Amino acid sequence: MRPHVTVNCAMTADGKLAGRRRKQVTISSPEDLARVKELRKEVDAILVGIGTVLSDDPHLTVKGSTLKKNPIRVVLDSRGRTPDDARVLDAQARTIIATVEDCDKVWRNAEILRIGKDRVDLDLLLTKLHEIGVRTLLVEGGGEVLWSFFKGGLVDHYSVFVGSRIIGGRTAPTPVDGEGFDDHEALKLKLIEWVHLGDGVLLEYEVCNDGG
Ligand SMILES: NC(=O)c1ccc[n+]([C@@H]2O[C@H](COP(=O)([O-])OP(=O)(O)OC[C@H]3O[C@@H](n4cnc5c(N)ncnc54)[C@H](OP(=O)(O)O)[C@@H]3O)[C@@H](O)[C@H]2O)c1
């Protein structure tokens, strides 16, 4: 058993998650930020990769929420690179760092799950999260992590806000990076809703993991 997985991200109109220096840029409209706040309130856990922690240093909390109410924060970090002063390690929420069997790094304020050989084993991680009561998981990025989730058939719902700006740059991350599918293997989505949110558009998709 695994949690229901929603991927949420914001991209520019040219399909980038951030600029060429891979630092956070403003893409979401205020209306989209309010939507994401509500979305975070509804889920049991929020997950990002170490690339996002190192680039953006996010809190991954709901502003104004309490320790008990904030979702669990999960970071995928095979090599133990999460800095000791990272904001995801603050006292505002429970934090799990998922790493691999050989990584012996420990962090104050974080529980550690050592699962996988080279990289965190996502199937096992989702099973463990389900065992501790996580029924809904929000995966917020970045591109490498989203690739692993899509590749593994582990995404149920995909929400992407398209902000009205162009940033360009061949090294800028996109919602799904990684090695990519072969042409004939492209994952099918079912568009279920589109909403005008300020100066951008929110697209909501169901993921057809069975190829349908
Ligand atoms: N616009 C948005 O909505 C949004 C949201 C989030 C992030 N971003 C942007 O995305 C960029 C960061 O994305 P990123 O692709 O560089 O990094 P990322 O996806 O956040 O993290 C990738 C890293 O996670 C680790 N990892 C561990 N197990 C993994 C697994 N099973 N599958 C995949 N990765 C695993 C790997 O590093 P180790 O091997 O060292 O563990 C991998 O390199 C930043 O520029 C950030 O600003 C944008």
Side-chain angles (χ1 to χ4, degrees):
M1 297 281 274
R2 68 163 175 85
H4 181 274
V5 174
T6 294
V7 163
N8 183 76
C9 63
M11 68 176 186
T12 56
D14 57 330
K16 310 292 188 188
L17 282 187
R20 66 180 193 276
R21 291 188 188 85
R22 305 181 81 80
K23 290 285 169 203
Q24 197 170 30
V25 291
T26 303
I27 299 174
S28 287
S29 62
E31 292 83 351
D32 186 53
L33 291 176
R35 176 193 66 87
V36 175
K37 183 173 177 182
E38 291 307 309
L39 185 59
R40 282 185 175 185
K41 275 189 199 164
E42 287 165 12
V43 296
D44 298 322
I46 303 176
L47 180 148
V48 296
I50 179 64
T52 297
V53 169
L54 294 175
S55 290
D56 302 352
D57 196 14
H59 279 106
L60 299 183
T61 49
V62 180
K63 219 173 183 176
S65 206
T66 57
L67 169 64
K68 275 196 172 155
K69 287 219 165 143
N70 269 318
I72 300 172
R73 302 176 287 201
V74 184
V75 178
L76 301 188
D77 179 8
S78 322
R79 290 178 278 158
R81 293 186 288 154
T82 302
D84 290 329
D85 61 353
R87 289 180 181 143
V88 287
L89 296 174
D90 68 17
Q92 303 303 309
R94 183 176 170 190
T95 300
I96 295 174
I97 298 189
T99 187
V100 295
E101 289 158 20
D102 285 350
C103 176
D104 52 13
K105 169 101 183 161
V106 289
W107 293 265
R108 227 166 24 100
N109 296 340
E111 296 153 57
I112 303 166
L113 286 177
R114 301 182 201 283
I115 37 182
K117 296 254 181 259
D118 301 322
R119 272 196 166 177
V120 178
D121 182 324
L122 294 186
D123 288 308
L124 218 51
L125 173 65
L126 293 190
T127 304
K128 295 254 184 215
L129 290 177
H130 193 271
E131 279 170 14
I132 62 164
V134 174
R135 297 291 178 266
T136 48
L137 175 68
L138 177 61
V139 181
E140 294 201 354
E144 288 298 322
V145 163
L146 297 192
W147 159 249
S148 291
F149 271 84
F150 279 112
K151 168 79 173 160
L154 300 172
V155 183
D156 302 297
H157 189 96
Y158 174 46
S159 304
V160 56
F161 177 80
V162 185
S164 297
R165 57 186 67 202
I166 300 280
I167 192 154
R170 63 180 67 86
T171 57
T174 75
V176 185
D177 289 327
E179 67 206 45
F181 291 109
D182 283 335
D183 298 350
H184 63 283
E185 285 178 343
L187 191 59
K188 286 211 176 89
L189 304 175
K190 183 174 173 201
L191 181 62
I192 50 175
E193 196 174 8
W194 59 96
V195 190
H196 210 141
L197 277 184
D199 69 348
V201 179
L202 173 70
L203 303 172
E204 302 260 20
Y205 297 95
E206 245 169 47
V207 182
C208 308
N209 288 308
D210 55 4

